[in-house]
Amino acid sequence: DSTTWFEFIVDCHGNIEDRCCDMVAWNPTWYVATSNSPTLWIAEIAIPLTELELSDRSKPNFQVAMQRSVPGLATAVLHPIF
């Protein structure tokens, strides 16, 4: 619907935070696994579609943007096209 937004945040320690359109009571179930080394950080995230407040679940239509922020360094943003 281009007006509903979700935000899923994970840091390199596996700490998570989530938001949906500023709804305080929204508390989805989602899963995160992280690993890192001195030169690499990996995050695997699983978000069941049933946790998203989609208007038409038979044809989910959404966009994804990913952002990586490193304190003191540049922020990288990725907007894949589906």
Side-chain angles (χ1 to χ4, degrees):
D1 64 14
S2 297
T3 59
T4 303
W5 56 266
F6 305 95
E7 186 172 42
F8 296 90
I9 302 167
V10 60
D11 69 13
C12 63
H13 304 290
N15 298 310
I16 62 170
E17 187 176 335
D18 46 58
R19 296 185 191 98
C20 174
C21 299
D22 294 324
M23 294 187 314
V24 175
W26 188 64
N27 188 22
T29 299
W30 57 295
Y31 309 93
V32 173
T34 61
S35 63
N36 58 48
S37 71
T39 60
L40 183 68
W41 179 66
I42 298 171
E44 182 177 350
I45 302 169
I47 305 165
L49 287 177
T50 55
E51 296 297 326
L52 305 181
E53 303 289 332
L54 301 174
S55 57
D56 184 357
R57 290 180 190 237
S58 64
K59 295 184 242 175
N61 182 9
F62 52 88
Q63 298 177 3
V64 175
M66 291 172 259
Q67 176 176 317
R68 180 174 184 245
S69 299
V70 179
L73 300 175
T75 297
V77 179
L78 173 64
H79 297 275
I81 298 173
F82 296 98

Coordinates of all heavy atoms in Angstrom, one line a residue:
D1 N 0.8 -1.2 0.0 CA 0.0 0.0 0.0 C 0.8 1.3 0.0 O 0.3 2.4 0.0 CB -1.0 0.0 1.2 CG -0.3 0.0 2.5 OD1 0.9 0.3 2.6 OD2 -1.0 -0.3 3.5
S2 N 2.1 1.1 0.0 CA 3.1 2.2 -0.1 C 3.0 3.2 1.1 O 3.6 4.3 1.1 CB 2.9 3.0 -1.4 OG 3.2 2.2 -2.5
T3 N 2.3 2.9 2.1 CA 2.2 3.7 3.3 C 2.6 3.0 4.6 O 3.0 3.6 5.6 CB 0.8 4.4 3.5 OG1 -0.1 3.3 3.7 CG2 0.4 5.2 2.4
T4 N 2.5 1.7 4.6 CA 2.9 0.9 5.8 C 4.4 0.6 5.7 O 4.9 0.2 4.6 CB 2.1 -0.5 5.8 OG1 0.7 -0.2 5.8 CG2 2.5 -1.3 7.0
W5 N 5.1 0.8 6.8 CA 6.5 0.6 6.8 C 6.9 -0.3 8.0 O 6.3 -0.3 9.0 CB 7.3 1.9 6.7 CG 7.1 2.8 7.8 CD1 6.2 3.9 7.8 CD2 7.6 2.9 9.1 NE1 6.1 4.5 9.0 CE2 7.0 3.9 9.8 CE3 8.6 2.1 9.8 CZ2 7.4 4.2 11.1 CZ3 8.9 2.4 11.1 CH2 8.3 3.5 11.7
F6 N 8.0 -1.1 7.8 CA 8.5 -1.9 8.8 C 10.0 -1.6 8.9 O 10.7 -1.4 7.9 CB 8.4 -3.4 8.5 CG 6.9 -3.8 8.2 CD1 6.5 -3.8 6.9 CD2 6.1 -4.1 9.2 CE1 5.2 -4.2 6.6 CE2 4.8 -4.5 8.9 CZ 4.3 -4.5 7.6
E7 N 10.5 -1.7 10.1 CA 11.9 -1.5 10.3 C 12.4 -2.6 11.3 O 11.9 -2.7 12.4 CB 12.2 -0.1 10.9 CG 13.6 0.3 11.1 CD 13.8 1.7 11.5 OE1 13.1 2.2 12.4 OE2 14.7 2.4 10.9
F8 N 13.4 -3.3 10.8 CA 14.0 -4.4 11.6 C 15.5 -4.0 11.7 O 16.2 -3.8 10.7 CB 13.9 -5.7 10.8 CG 12.5 -6.2 10.7 CD1 11.7 -5.8 9.6 CD2 11.9 -6.9 11.7 CE1 10.4 -6.2 9.5 CE2 10.5 -7.3 11.6 CZ 9.8 -7.0 10.5
I9 N 16.0 -3.9 12.9 CA 17.3 -3.5 13.2 C 18.1 -4.6 13.9 O 17.5 -5.2 14.9 CB 17.3 -2.2 14.0 CG1 16.6 -1.1 13.3 CG2 18.8 -1.8 14.4 CD1 16.3 0.1 14.2
V10 N 19.3 -4.9 13.5 CA 20.1 -5.9 14.2 C 21.6 -5.3 14.2 O 22.0 -4.7 13.2 CB 20.1 -7.2 13.5 CG1 20.5 -7.2 12.0 CG2 20.9 -8.3 14.2
D11 N 22.3 -5.5 15.3 CA 23.7 -5.1 15.4 C 24.6 -6.3 15.3 O 24.1 -7.4 15.3 CB 23.9 -4.2 16.6 CG 23.8 -4.9 17.9 OD1 23.8 -6.1 17.9 OD2 23.8 -4.2 18.9
C12 N 25.9 -6.1 15.4 CA 26.8 -7.2 15.2 C 26.8 -8.1 16.4 O 27.4 -9.2 16.3 CB 28.2 -6.6 15.0 SG 28.9 -5.6 16.3
H13 N 26.1 -7.7 17.5 CA 26.1 -8.6 18.7 C 24.8 -9.4 18.7 O 24.5 -10.2 19.6 CB 26.1 -7.8 19.9 CG 27.4 -6.9 20.0 ND1 28.6 -7.5 20.2 CD2 27.5 -5.6 19.9 CE1 29.5 -6.5 20.2 NE2 28.9 -5.4 20.0
G14 N 23.9 -9.2 17.7 CA 22.6 -9.9 17.6 C 21.5 -9.2 18.3 O 20.4 -9.8 18.4
N15 N 21.7 -8.0 18.8 CA 20.7 -7.2 19.5 C 19.7 -6.8 18.4 O 20.1 -6.4 17.3 CB 21.2 -6.0 20.2 CG 22.2 -6.4 21.3 OD1 21.9 -7.3 22.1 ND2 23.4 -5.8 21.3
I16 N 18.4 -6.8 18.7 CA 17.4 -6.5 17.7 C 16.4 -5.4 18.2 O 16.3 -5.2 19.4 CB 16.6 -7.7 17.3 CG1 15.8 -8.3 18.4 CG2 17.5 -8.8 16.6 CD1 14.8 -9.4 18.0
E17 N 15.8 -4.8 17.2 CA 14.8 -3.8 17.5 C 13.9 -3.8 16.2 O 14.3 -4.1 15.1 CB 15.4 -2.4 17.7 CG 14.4 -1.3 18.1 CD 15.1 0.0 18.4 OE1 16.3 0.0 18.7 OE2 14.4 1.0 18.2
D18 N 12.6 -3.5 16.4 CA 11.7 -3.5 15.3 C 10.6 -2.4 15.5 O 10.3 -2.0 16.6 CB 11.0 -4.9 15.1 CG 10.5 -5.5 16.4 OD1 9.7 -4.9 17.0 OD2 10.9 -6.6 16.7
R19 N 10.1 -2.0 14.4 CA 9.0 -0.9 14.4 C 8.1 -1.2 13.2 O 8.5 -1.6 12.1 CB 9.6 0.5 14.2 CG 10.5 0.9 15.3 CD 10.9 2.4 15.1 NE 12.0 2.7 16.1 CZ 13.3 2.7 15.8 NH1 13.7 2.4 14.6 NH2 14.2 3.0 16.7
C20 N 6.8 -0.8 13.4 CA 5.9 -0.8 12.3 C 5.0 0.5 12.4 O 4.2 0.5 13.3 CB 5.0 -2.0 12.3 SG 3.7 -2.0 11.1
C21 N 5.2 1.4 11.5 CA 4.4 2.6 11.5 C 4.2 3.3 12.8 O 3.1 3.7 13.1 CB 3.0 2.3 10.9 SG 3.1 1.6 9.2
D22 N 5.2 3.2 13.6 CA 5.1 3.8 15.0 C 4.1 3.2 15.9 O 3.6 3.8 16.8 CB 4.9 5.3 14.9 CG 6.1 6.0 14.3 OD1 7.3 5.6 14.5 OD2 5.9 7.0 13.5
M23 N 3.7 1.9 15.6 CA 2.7 1.2 16.5 C 3.5 0.6 17.7 O 4.3 -0.3 17.5 CB 2.0 0.1 15.7 CG 1.1 0.6 14.7 SD 0.1 -0.7 13.9 CE 1.2 -2.0 13.6
V24 N 3.3 1.1 18.8 CA 4.1 0.7 20.0 C 3.8 -0.7 20.4 O 4.7 -1.5 20.8 CB 3.8 1.6 21.2 CG1 4.4 1.2 22.5 CG2 4.1 3.1 20.9
A25 N 2.6 -1.2 20.2 CA 2.2 -2.6 20.6 C 2.7 -3.6 19.6 O 2.6 -4.8 19.9 CB 0.7 -2.6 20.8
W26 N 3.2 -3.3 18.4 CA 3.6 -4.3 17.4 C 4.8 -5.0 18.0 O 5.8 -4.4 18.3 CB 3.9 -3.6 16.1 CG 4.1 -4.5 15.0 CD1 3.2 -5.4 14.5 CD2 5.3 -4.7 14.2 NE1 3.8 -6.1 13.4 CE2 5.1 -5.7 13.2 CE3 6.5 -4.1 14.3 CZ2 6.0 -6.1 12.3 CZ3 7.5 -4.5 13.3 CH2 7.2 -5.4 12.4
N27 N 4.7 -6.3 18.0 CA 5.8 -7.2 18.6 C 5.9 -8.4 17.8 O 5.5 -9.5 18.2 CB 5.5 -7.5 20.0 CG 6.7 -8.2 20.7 OD1 7.8 -8.0 20.2 ND2 6.4 -8.9 21.8
P28 N 6.5 -8.4 16.6 CA 6.6 -9.5 15.7 C 7.6 -10.6 16.2 O 8.5 -10.2 16.9 CB 7.0 -8.9 14.4 CG 7.9 -7.8 14.8 CD 7.2 -7.2 16.0
T29 N 7.4 -11.8 15.7 CA 8.4 -12.8 16.0 C 9.3 -12.9 14.7 O 8.8 -13.1 13.6 CB 7.7 -14.2 16.2 OG1 6.9 -14.1 17.4 CG2 8.7 -15.3 16.4
W30 N 10.6 -12.7 14.9 CA 11.5 -12.9 13.8 C 12.8 -13.4 14.3 O 13.0 -13.4 15.5 CB 11.7 -11.6 13.0 CG 12.1 -10.4 13.7 CD1 11.4 -9.7 14.7 CD2 13.3 -9.6 13.5 NE1 12.0 -8.6 15.1 CE2 13.2 -8.5 14.4 CE3 14.4 -9.7 12.7 CZ2 14.2 -7.6 14.5 CZ3 15.4 -8.8 12.8 CH2 15.3 -7.7 13.7
Y31 N 13.7 -13.9 13.5 CA 14.9 -14.6 13.9 C 16.1 -14.0 13.3 O 16.1 -13.6 12.1 CB 14.7 -16.1 13.4 CG 13.4 -16.7 13.9 CD1 12.3 -16.6 13.0 CD2 13.2 -17.2 15.2 CE1 11.1 -17.1 13.4 CE2 12.0 -17.7 15.6 CZ 10.9 -17.7 14.7 OH 9.7 -18.1 15.1
V32 N 17.2 -14.0 14.1 CA 18.5 -13.4 13.7 C 19.6 -14.3 14.1 O 19.6 -14.8 15.2 CB 18.6 -12.0 14.3 CG1 20.0 -11.5 14.0 CG2 17.6 -11.0 13.8
A33 N 20.6 -14.5 13.2 CA 21.8 -15.1 13.6 C 22.9 -14.2 13.1 O 22.9 -13.8 11.9 CB 21.9 -16.5 13.0
T34 N 23.9 -14.0 13.9 CA 25.1 -13.1 13.4 C 26.4 -13.8 13.7 O 26.5 -14.7 14.6 CB 25.1 -11.8 14.2 OG1 25.2 -12.0 15.6 CG2 23.8 -11.0 13.9
S35 N 27.4 -13.5 12.9 CA 28.7 -14.0 13.2 C 29.7 -12.9 12.6 O 29.3 -12.1 11.8 CB 29.0 -15.3 12.5 OG 28.9 -15.2 11.1
N36 N 30.9 -12.8 13.2 CA 31.8 -11.8 12.7 C 33.3 -12.3 12.9 O 33.5 -13.2 13.7 CB 31.6 -10.5 13.4 CG 31.7 -10.5 14.9 OD1 32.6 -11.1 15.4 ND2 30.7 -10.0 15.6
S37 N 34.1 -11.6 12.2 CA 35.6 -11.8 12.3 C 36.2 -10.4 12.3 O 35.4 -9.4 12.1 CB 36.1 -12.7 11.2 OG 36.0 -12.0 10.0
P38 N 37.5 -10.3 12.3 CA 38.1 -8.9 12.2 C 37.7 -8.2 10.9 O 37.7 -7.0 10.9 CB 39.6 -9.2 12.4 CG 39.7 -10.5 13.1 CD 38.5 -11.3 12.7
T39 N 37.4 -8.9 9.9 CA 37.2 -8.2 8.6 C 35.8 -8.5 8.0 O 35.5 -8.0 6.9 CB 38.2 -8.7 7.5 OG1 38.1 -10.1 7.4 CG2 39.6 -8.3 8.0
L40 N 34.9 -9.2 8.7 CA 33.6 -9.6 8.1 C 32.6 -9.7 9.2 O 32.8 -10.0 10.3 CB 33.8 -11.0 7.5 CG 32.7 -11.6 6.8 CD1 32.4 -10.8 5.5 CD2 33.0 -13.1 6.4
W41 N 31.3 -9.3 8.8 CA 30.2 -9.4 9.6 C 29.0 -9.9 8.8 O 28.8 -9.5 7.7 CB 29.8 -8.0 10.2 CG 28.6 -8.1 11.1 CD1 28.5 -8.7 12.3 CD2 27.3 -7.5 10.9 NE1 27.2 -8.5 12.8 CE2 26.5 -7.8 12.0 CE3 26.8 -6.7 9.8 CZ2 25.2 -7.4 12.1 CZ3 25.5 -6.3 9.9 CH2 24.7 -6.6 11.0
I42 N 28.4 -11.0 9.3 CA 27.3 -11.6 8.6 C 26.1 -11.6 9.5 O 26.1 -11.9 10.7 CB 27.7 -13.1 8.3 CG1 28.9 -13.1 7.4 CG2 26.5 -13.8 7.7 CD1 29.4 -14.5 7.1
A43 N 24.9 -11.3 8.9 CA 23.6 -11.3 9.6 C 22.7 -12.1 8.7 O 22.5 -11.8 7.5 CB 23.1 -9.9 9.8
E44 N 22.0 -13.1 9.3 CA 21.0 -13.9 8.6 C 19.7 -13.5 9.3 O 19.6 -13.7 10.6 CB 21.3 -15.4 8.7 CG 20.3 -16.2 7.9 CD 20.6 -17.6 7.9 OE1 21.7 -18.0 8.4 OE2 19.7 -18.4 7.5
I45 N 18.7 -13.1 8.6 CA 17.5 -12.6 9.2 C 16.3 -13.3 8.5 O 16.2 -13.4 7.3 CB 17.3 -11.1 9.0 CG1 18.5 -10.3 9.6 CG2 16.0 -10.6 9.6 CD1 18.5 -8.9 9.2
A46 N 15.4 -13.9 9.3 CA 14.2 -14.5 8.8 C 13.0 -13.8 9.4 O 12.8 -13.8 10.7 CB 14.2 -16.0 9.2
I47 N 12.1 -13.3 8.6 CA 10.9 -12.6 9.0 C 9.7 -13.3 8.3 O 9.5 -13.2 7.1 CB 10.9 -11.1 8.6 CG1 12.2 -10.5 9.1 CG2 9.7 -10.4 9.1 CD1 12.5 -9.1 8.5
P48 N 8.9 -14.0 9.1 CA 7.7 -14.7 8.5 C 6.8 -13.6 7.9 O 6.5 -12.6 8.6 CB 7.1 -15.5 9.6 CG 8.2 -15.6 10.7 CD 9.0 -14.4 10.5
L49 N 6.3 -13.9 6.7 CA 5.3 -12.9 6.1 C 4.1 -12.8 7.0 O 3.4 -11.7 7.0 CB 4.9 -13.4 4.7 CG 6.0 -13.3 3.6 CD1 5.5 -13.8 2.3 CD2 6.4 -11.8 3.5
T50 N 3.7 -13.8 7.8 CA 2.6 -13.7 8.7 C 2.7 -12.6 9.7 O 1.8 -12.1 10.3 CB 2.2 -15.0 9.3 OG1 3.4 -15.5 10.0 CG2 1.8 -16.0 8.3
E51 N 4.0 -12.2 10.0 CA 4.2 -11.2 11.0 C 4.1 -9.7 10.5 O 4.0 -8.8 11.2 CB 5.7 -11.3 11.6 CG 5.9 -12.6 12.3 CD 5.0 -12.7 13.6 OE1 4.7 -11.7 14.2 OE2 4.6 -13.8 13.9
L52 N 4.0 -9.6 9.1 CA 3.8 -8.3 8.5 C 2.3 -8.0 8.4 O 1.5 -8.8 8.0 CB 4.5 -8.3 7.2 CG 6.0 -8.7 7.2 CD1 6.6 -8.6 5.8 CD2 6.8 -7.8 8.1
E53 N 2.0 -6.7 8.6 CA 0.6 -6.3 8.5 C 0.3 -6.0 7.0 O 0.2 -4.8 6.6 CB 0.4 -5.0 9.3 CG 0.7 -5.3 10.8 CD -0.3 -6.2 11.5 OE1 -1.5 -6.2 11.1 OE2 0.1 -6.8 12.5
L54 N 0.2 -7.0 6.2 CA 0.0 -6.8 4.7 C -1.5 -6.7 4.4 O -2.2 -7.5 5.0 CB 0.7 -7.9 3.9 CG 2.2 -8.1 4.1 CD1 2.7 -9.3 3.4 CD2 2.9 -6.8 3.7
S55 N -1.9 -5.8 3.6 CA -3.3 -5.7 3.3 C -3.8 -6.8 2.4 O -5.0 -7.2 2.6 CB -3.6 -4.3 2.6 OG -2.8 -4.2 1.4
D56 N -3.0 -7.4 1.6 CA -3.5 -8.5 0.7 C -2.4 -9.6 0.8 O -1.4 -9.6 0.1 CB -3.7 -8.1 -0.7 CG -4.2 -9.2 -1.6 OD1 -4.4 -10.3 -1.1 OD2 -4.5 -8.9 -2.8
R57 N -2.6 -10.6 1.7 CA -1.6 -11.6 1.9 C -1.5 -12.6 0.7 O -0.5 -13.3 0.6 CB -1.9 -12.4 3.2 CG -1.6 -11.5 4.4 CD -1.9 -12.3 5.6 NE -1.9 -11.4 6.8 CZ -1.1 -11.5 7.8 NH1 -0.3 -12.5 7.9 NH2 -1.1 -10.6 8.8
S58 N -2.5 -12.6 -0.1 CA -2.4 -13.5 -1.3 C -1.4 -13.1 -2.3 O -0.9 -13.9 -3.1 CB -3.8 -13.7 -1.9 OG -4.3 -12.5 -2.4
K59 N -1.2 -11.7 -2.4 CA -0.2 -11.2 -3.3 C 0.6 -10.1 -2.6 O 0.5 -8.9 -2.8 CB -1.0 -10.5 -4.5 CG -1.7 -11.4 -5.3 CD -2.3 -10.7 -6.5 CE -3.8 -10.8 -6.4 NZ -4.5 -10.0 -7.4
P60 N 1.6 -10.6 -1.7 CA 2.4 -9.6 -1.0 C 3.2 -8.8 -2.0 O 3.8 -9.3 -2.9 CB 3.2 -10.4 -0.1 CG 3.2 -11.8 -0.6 CD 1.9 -11.9 -1.4
N61 N 3.2 -7.5 -1.8 CA 3.9 -6.5 -2.6 C 4.6 -5.6 -1.7 O 4.0 -4.8 -1.0 CB 3.0 -5.8 -3.5 CG 3.7 -4.9 -4.5 OD1 4.9 -4.9 -4.5 ND2 3.0 -4.0 -5.2
F62 N 6.0 -5.6 -1.6 CA 6.7 -4.7 -0.8 C 8.1 -4.5 -1.3 O 8.5 -5.2 -2.2 CB 6.8 -5.3 0.7 CG 7.3 -6.7 0.8 CD1 8.6 -7.0 0.9 CD2 6.4 -7.8 0.7 CE1 9.1 -8.2 1.0 CE2 6.9 -9.1 0.8 CZ 8.2 -9.3 0.9
Q63 N 8.7 -3.5 -0.8 CA 10.1 -3.1 -1.2 C 11.0 -3.3 0.0 O 10.5 -3.3 1.2 CB 10.2 -1.7 -1.6 CG 9.3 -1.4 -2.9 CD 9.4 0.0 -3.3 OE1 10.0 0.8 -2.7 NE2 8.6 0.4 -4.3
V64 N 12.3 -3.6 -0.2 CA 13.2 -3.8 0.8 C 14.4 -2.8 0.7 O 14.8 -2.6 -0.4 CB 13.8 -5.2 0.8 CG1 14.9 -5.4 1.8 CG2 12.6 -6.2 1.0
A65 N 14.8 -2.2 1.8 CA 16.0 -1.4 1.8 C 16.9 -1.9 2.9 O 16.4 -2.1 4.0 CB 15.7 0.1 1.9
M66 N 18.2 -2.0 2.7 CA 19.1 -2.4 3.7 C 20.1 -1.3 3.9 O 20.5 -0.7 3.0 CB 19.8 -3.7 3.3 CG 18.9 -4.9 3.3 SD 19.6 -6.3 2.6 CE 18.9 -6.3 1.0
Q67 N 20.5 -1.1 5.2 CA 21.4 0.0 5.5 C 22.5 -0.5 6.5 O 22.1 -1.3 7.4 CB 20.7 1.2 6.1 CG 21.6 2.3 6.6 CD 20.8 3.5 7.1 OE1 19.8 3.9 6.5 NE2 21.3 4.0 8.2
R68 N 23.7 -0.2 6.2 CA 24.8 -0.6 7.1 C 25.4 0.7 7.6 O 25.9 1.5 6.8 CB 25.8 -1.4 6.4 CG 27.0 -1.8 7.3 CD 27.9 -2.8 6.6 NE 29.0 -3.2 7.5 CZ 30.2 -2.9 7.4 NH1 30.7 -2.2 6.4 NH2 31.1 -3.3 8.3
S69 N 25.4 0.9 8.9 CA 26.0 2.1 9.5 C 27.2 1.6 10.4 O 27.1 0.7 11.2 CB 25.0 2.8 10.4 OG 23.9 3.2 9.6
V70 N 28.3 2.3 10.2 CA 29.5 2.0 11.0 C 29.9 3.3 11.7 O 30.2 4.3 11.0 CB 30.7 1.5 10.2 CG1 31.9 1.2 11.1 CG2 30.3 0.2 9.5
P71 N 29.9 3.4 13.0 CA 30.2 4.7 13.7 C 31.6 5.2 13.2 O 32.6 4.5 13.1 CB 30.3 4.3 15.1 CG 29.4 3.1 15.3 CD 29.6 2.4 14.0
G72 N 31.5 6.5 12.8 CA 32.8 7.2 12.3 C 33.1 6.9 10.9 O 34.0 7.5 10.3
L73 N 32.3 6.0 10.2 CA 32.5 5.8 8.8 C 31.2 6.1 8.0 O 30.2 6.4 8.5 CB 32.9 4.3 8.6 CG 34.2 3.9 9.3 CD1 34.4 2.4 9.1 CD2 35.4 4.6 8.7
A74 N 31.3 5.9 6.7 CA 30.2 6.2 5.8 C 29.1 5.1 6.0 O 29.3 4.0 6.5 CB 30.6 6.1 4.4
T75 N 27.8 5.5 5.7 CA 26.7 4.6 5.7 C 26.4 4.1 4.3 O 26.4 4.8 3.4 CB 25.5 5.3 6.2 OG1 25.7 5.8 7.6 CG2 24.2 4.5 6.2
A76 N 26.2 2.8 4.2 CA 25.9 2.2 2.9 C 24.5 1.7 2.9 O 24.0 1.2 3.8 CB 26.8 0.9 2.7
V77 N 23.8 2.1 1.8 CA 22.4 1.7 1.6 C 22.2 0.9 0.4 O 22.7 1.3 -0.7 CB 21.5 3.0 1.6 CG1 20.0 2.6 1.4 CG2 21.7 3.8 2.8
L78 N 21.4 -0.2 0.5 CA 21.1 -1.0 -0.7 C 19.6 -1.1 -0.9 O 18.9 -1.4 0.1 CB 21.7 -2.4 -0.4 CG 21.4 -3.5 -1.4 CD1 22.0 -3.1 -2.8 CD2 21.9 -4.8 -1.0
H79 N 19.1 -0.9 -2.1 CA 17.7 -1.0 -2.4 C 17.6 -2.0 -3.5 O 17.5 -1.6 -4.7 CB 17.1 0.4 -2.9 CG 17.2 1.4 -1.9 ND1 16.2 1.6 -0.9 CD2 18.1 2.4 -1.6 CE1 16.5 2.6 -0.1 NE2 17.6 3.1 -0.5
P80 N 17.5 -3.3 -3.2 CA 17.3 -4.3 -4.2 C 16.0 -4.2 -4.9 O 15.0 -3.8 -4.3 CB 17.5 -5.6 -3.5 CG 17.2 -5.3 -2.1 CD 17.5 -3.9 -1.9
I81 N 15.9 -4.6 -6.2 CA 14.6 -4.5 -6.9 C 14.1 -6.0 -7.0 O 14.9 -6.8 -7.5 CB 14.8 -3.9 -8.3 CG1 15.3 -2.5 -8.1 CG2 13.6 -4.0 -9.1 CD1 15.7 -1.8 -9.4
F82 N 12.9 -6.2 -6.7 CA 12.2 -7.5 -6.8 C 11.2 -7.5 -7.9 O 10.6 -6.6 -8.1 CB 11.6 -7.9 -5.5 CG 12.5 -8.0 -4.3 CD1 12.7 -7.0 -3.4 CD2 13.3 -9.2 -4.2 CE1 13.6 -7.2 -2.4 CE2 14.1 -9.3 -3.1 CZ 14.3 -8.3 -2.2

